[in-house]
Amino acid sequence: MSQKADIALIGLAVMGQNLILNMDSHGFVVCAYNRTVDKVTQFLNNEAKGTKVIGATSLQDMVNKLKTPRKIMMLVKAGSAVDDFIKQLTPLLSPGDLIIDGGNSEYQDTTRRCDELKKQGFLFVGSGVSGGEEGARYGPSLMPGGHKEAWPLIKDIFQSISAKADNEPCCEWVGEGGAGHFVKMVHNGIEYGDMQLICEAYDLMKGLGMTQSEMAKEMDEWNKGELDSFLIEITRDILNYKDDKGYLLERIRDTAGQKGTGKWTAIAALHYGVPVTLIGEAVFSRCLSALKDERVNASKHLKGPERKITVQNKAEFLTHIKHALYCAKIVSYAQGFMLMREAAKEFNWKLNYGGIALMWRGGCIIRSVFLGNIKEAFERNPELSNLLLDDFFKDAIKRCQESWRQVVSHSVLWGVPVPALSAALAFYDGYRTDRLPANLLQAQRDFFGAHTYELLGQEGKFVHTNWTGTGGNVSASTYLA
């Protein structure tokens, strides 16, 4: 009898192929399957030639070639395609077999699938997979969640193929239900924020008249310090990239797309009442960029400030931009971890925040030295309510916030849009303020809608005032959202 596979993988796009080759290189026998069966043959005859990878001509054939309990991972488009494959697989499987969804599924879908498959006796894992095609091949960041009983079945495979940071795998069990996909969603939201912040720094440097070569050199310097990260590194390389027509970047149309995970993060933030303002602005910035024709038209009619973009000391201002980027980045992660903490309360997940930071240290798009500081912060205090309150980050913002304010204020005076940098600063100033003007807002709501308010010193007791003398004393139901 031919050798049976340790795991099967459905979906032979670039990520799927590279993940299979990664598993193979770590000694696991993988069965490859694709809806278009010709793709399996092509893969076996080309990329997988000379490996232990075996192919399947049908789902039944794939199931027959697996060791029990069977482990089947899908890397297919999120949504109905995942449900369709599950529907086709379950009649072929035995109780205790495991299905893994490695796509960017919505966490609510993963929670639903966990519940549905548990009733049928099957195990289910929804795992975030980050790192792009290179990460998939040589070590991604993996964020598995779902049925806890499934973790011992895949732990060896997942931790073997994942990236390593400080010799530790960038993969650990996240939590029940949709926890893995929720953490991956927040990762992608932070990725949106990081990318937008870097774009704003690039826009300011461009406004200062710097060449792409000069900007690349500056980014290279930044990448040697506290901003050392994958995204700064690739930005430097993008700025340096030339083809036969010269620098490519300036010829790329300034309209950005999105696949939805940043939007989902913003929606989740609104749903749970967490002020994830920077990621929200990053999503809206992409939406604004998509209005290219409208922006071109508006640029002919709407005037900004007359003043020119000039600074007395360019080197000093570049340091200000670097520090502003660092401060805003701290806020971005603080907001992301706030959102995870709120969701953990809602779903009773026992999230290991330091462990999540470690999972993001290598393999993924937001990997950076900075995440080591986050891991240490949660090691110092596992109950830390907000990263901004950790001594390391508190001192970093204290040291750099003057630069942050200089950059945001100059940008406003110059008419250069910095939505993410400014939203992060507004959040920081709001979060550190012991009394916000929401007392007036509550009075307004009670005035026009009898929505009630609490008095200082009488928290928990909601009262209504007849502000005009002509209104009634009946109040509406109380809500705080």
Side-chain angles (χ1 to χ4, degrees), residues 363-379:
C364 68
I365 305 303
I366 62 171
R367 61 184 181 265
S368 65
V369 167
F370 177 88
L371 283 155
N373 305 127
I374 294 178
K375 179 177 179 283
E376 289 164 5
F378 285 110
E379 281 176 346

Side-chain angles (χ1 to χ4, degrees), residues 19 66 72 96 135 191 205 227 283 292 299 331 388 393 450 453:
L19 212 55
L66 285 169
I72 299 166
E191 181 184 308
M205 289 193 282
L227 289 174
V283 175
K292 176 67 174 177
S299 70
V331 167
L388 294 172
F393 293 110
Y453 55 86

Side-chain angles (χ1 to χ4, degrees), residues 13-24:
V14 175
M15 285 287 286
Q17 290 189 16
N18 282 341
L19 212 55
I20 289 171
L21 295 173
N22 186 350
M23 291 177 183
D24 176 81

Side-chain angles (χ1 to χ4, degrees), residues 363-401:
C364 68
I365 305 303
I366 62 171
R367 61 184 181 265
S368 65
V369 167
F370 177 88
L371 283 155
N373 305 127
I374 294 178
K375 179 177 179 283
E376 289 164 5
F378 285 110
E379 281 176 346
R380 282 190 288 273
N381 179 10
E383 302 304 314
L384 183 67
S385 61
N386 194 299
L387 277 176
L388 294 172
L389 300 177
D390 175 73
D391 285 345
F392 176 86
F393 293 110
K394 195 164 55 179
D395 291 345
I397 288 189
K398 183 179 179 182
R399 175 170 49 86
C400 298
Q401 72 167 291

Side-chain angles (χ1 to χ4, degrees), residues 28 132 166 179 237 333 340 353 355 377:
F28 301 102
D166 301 327
D237 295 345
Y333 283 75
M340 287 191 286
Y353 301 103

